[in-house]
Amino acid sequence: MSAQHLEARVRHEPGVAVVELRGDIAAFAEDTLNAAYTEAEQQGADPILLNFSQVQYINSTGIALIVGLLARARKTRRQLLACGLSQHYIEIFQITRLVDFMNVFPDESSARSKGQISSGAQQSTHHPHHSNHHHQATDAGHLPHRQPGKH
């Protein structure tokens, strides 16, 4: 199987920037992912919805790149959502605990109907049933540094 380079297109909708991803998410996708996120972020849209419906493959480096986007989103208190993942990648997002930090929907319309996307909405992706200690343990080295004394 040959790798298919990642293409990203940012589409601005009322209250959300949708990043449509097509291809494979691996090491070579870093610049494309970061550029698309920056474009979505600069438009002031909150939240940002990553649409994975045209993504065929995500390797461990690709997962790390997505974690990097989550770190950027958390640093600016921006909500990052995902949709269009195959069942396999939904399971990967569960195993890697990405679902603890981003809501995952079957498609764009599901994200909208669940009230996650609305103009000016700024909802936390933090799940209240998880303690901060738990998140610090799973975030180490991937998300912004914790302030001293915060446990």
Side-chain angles (χ1 to χ4, degrees), residues 9-20 45-51 79 81-84 103-121 123:
R9 188 182 85 134
V10 178
R11 183 168 36 90
H12 299 281
E13 306 262 333
V16 66
V18 179
V19 180
E20 297 175 349
D46 184 31
I48 295 174
L49 176 63
L50 301 177
N51 186 332
Q79 187 178 27
L81 307 169
C83 72
N103 291 320
V104 176
F105 298 93
D107 51 41
E108 284 184 40
S109 63
S110 297
R112 292 179 188 282
S113 69
K114 298 293 184 191
Q116 296 296 311
I117 298 174
S118 63
S119 185
Q123 298 176 347

Side-chain angles (χ1 to χ4, degrees), residues 49-114:
L49 176 63
L50 301 177
N51 186 332
F52 291 91
S53 62
Q54 298 297 312
V55 171
Q56 289 79 38
Y57 177 72
I58 306 171
N59 69 9
S60 59
T61 302
I63 294 293
L65 294 175
I66 295 165
V67 169
L69 295 182
L70 274 169
R72 288 177 65 179
R74 289 186 67 188
K75 190 173 189 177
T76 60
R77 298 188 182 277
R78 181 179 306 276
Q79 187 178 27
L80 190 61
L81 307 169
C83 72
L85 288 162
S86 69
Q87 186 58 43
H88 171 74
Y89 288 114
I90 289 171
E91 291 172 11
I92 296 296
F93 273 45
Q94 290 169 339
I95 291 167
T96 58
R97 305 198 93 133
L98 284 171
V99 296
D100 287 354
F101 302 97
M102 67 190 318
N103 291 320
V104 176
F105 298 93
D107 51 41
E108 284 184 40
S109 63
S110 297
R112 292 179 188 282
S113 69
K114 298 293 184 191

